[in-house]
Amino acid sequence: MALMEKYRKAIELTGKLPIQGLSIEEKAGKLHIVGTAPYQLEKDLVWDAIKEQPGWEADLVCDLKVESQDVYGYWVVQAGDSLSKVAKRCYDDGNKYMKIFEANKDILKDPNQIKPGQKLKIPNV
């Protein structure tokens, strides 16, 4: 299986994220992904997609840098999201939803009421 096909999900994700200077190419038998993500969250989302494939350690050279580390990232609420779902996706721990709520008290009044389209700050933990 060609590496570009094997890592299609990760490659498609990089195209949807605001990664600057993105370069993806196969050379010397490895897939090389290079670029700069705005926040750690985007970098981690790409790595999560990469790690879904067995043998990624031997297949891949991924050099994603992070531009800003003042927050973990930002999340735009989609229909069906809850703070616990966002915390699970961002932190692998849905119980950390109150950290997101506390960081967004300027736009959220209740941790059980978020609306599609809201842009939430995801704090570093």
Side-chain angles (χ1 to χ4, degrees), residues 21-49:
L22 181 62
S23 170
I24 302 171
E25 61 182 332
E26 279 189 59
K27 60 182 178 184
K30 292 192 180 241
L31 183 65
H32 293 255
I33 302 174
V34 178
T36 302
Y39 298 99
Q40 186 67 40
L41 175 58
E42 289 86 2
K43 179 179 178 176
D44 288 350
L45 291 173
V46 172
W47 270 106
D48 288 348

Side-chain angles (χ1 to χ4, degrees), residues 10-73:
I11 291 168
E12 288 176 355
L13 179 61
T14 61
K16 294 176 184 174
L17 297 172
I19 297 176
Q20 299 297 313
L22 181 62
S23 170
I24 302 171
E25 61 182 332
E26 279 189 59
K27 60 182 178 184
K30 292 192 180 241
L31 183 65
H32 293 255
I33 302 174
V34 178
T36 302
Y39 298 99
Q40 186 67 40
L41 175 58
E42 289 86 2
K43 179 179 178 176
D44 288 350
L45 291 173
V46 172
W47 270 106
D48 288 348
I50 288 168
K51 290 178 181 179
E52 288 179 9
Q53 295 300 321
W56 64 267
E57 301 92 336
D59 290 343
L60 193 87
V61 175
C62 184
D63 183 17
L64 286 178
K65 294 177 178 27
V66 175
E67 187 175 327
S68 179
Q69 297 182 2
D70 57 332
V71 296
Y72 185 59

